[in-house]
Amino acid sequence: MAYWLVKSEPDAFSWDEQVANGVEPWTGVRNHQAKKNLAAMKAGDRAFFYHSNVQRAIVGVVEVVREGYPDPTAETDKWVCVDVKAIAPMPTPVTLAQIKAEPTLEDLALVRQSRLSVCPVSAEHWQILCDMGGWQEPT
């Protein structure tokens, strides 16, 4: 299993909407590096759902349930999307300020490439962030 972080502006698509919709395509990504990251996602991978702009915090965890396919919102077929489903909210949202204050997360793509909307998360960073937010895999 690989780990990721996906960003959404809550006024465009929020965690609550993800939960209400169940499975949702992650569309609208128009950055080439983010596209490569989407294309690398595999079914069963986990991703942090991050509210950008307003809240700037990890607010939930989603699972990739459908691997990359052409983004239906794109004008050309060069862009991809994946389908994700909500697993559970982050018990305590982890803010960007908290992430930046944690020295062990200085290499996290969210910190190094702050504009990237889909980025990988190492297993070590995943565990640190889960611990910070009180997340445990559902049993």
Side-chain angles (χ1 to χ4, degrees):
M1 177 188 318
Y3 301 104
W4 307 91
L5 182 141
V6 293
K7 292 182 181 180
S8 183
E9 296 178 13
D11 57 341
F13 184 72
S14 70
W15 170 252
D16 290 341
E17 290 172 286
Q18 174 69 57
V19 171
N21 294 351
V23 174
E24 183 72 19
W26 201 265
T27 60
V29 172
R30 301 295 183 266
N31 170 284
H32 289 285
Q33 183 59 51
K35 174 184 115 173
K36 288 178 184 177
N37 291 337
L38 280 175
M41 290 179 166
K42 301 293 179 203
D45 286 357
R46 293 274 201 252
F48 289 124
F49 190 109
Y50 179 89
H51 275 168
S52 60
N53 289 347
V54 178
Q55 190 177 14
R56 294 186 183 183
I58 296 170
V59 295
V61 176
V62 296
E63 178 179 339
V64 177
V65 295
R66 182 178 176 192
E67 296 177 13
Y69 61 96
D71 184 336
T73 68
E75 293 180 13
T76 69
D77 63 357
K78 75 177 188 175
W79 300 106
V80 299
C81 66
V82 298
D83 289 355
V84 297
K85 73 172 181 178
I87 300 300
M90 183 62 73
T92 303
V94 181
T95 67
L96 181 60
Q98 290 172 299
I99 292 167
K100 286 183 173 182
E102 175 55 52
T104 59
L105 296 173
E106 68 184 4
D107 291 334
L108 183 68
L110 176 66
V111 174
R112 288 184 299 105
Q113 298 173 288
S114 62
R115 301 208 38 144
L116 193 59
S117 63
V118 179
C119 49
V121 176
S122 71
E124 177 186 356
H125 288 160
W126 180 268
Q127 191 56 58
I128 292 166
L129 291 163
C130 287
D131 291 346
M132 290 172 72
W135 168 263
Q136 293 184 1
E137 279 291 328
T139 56

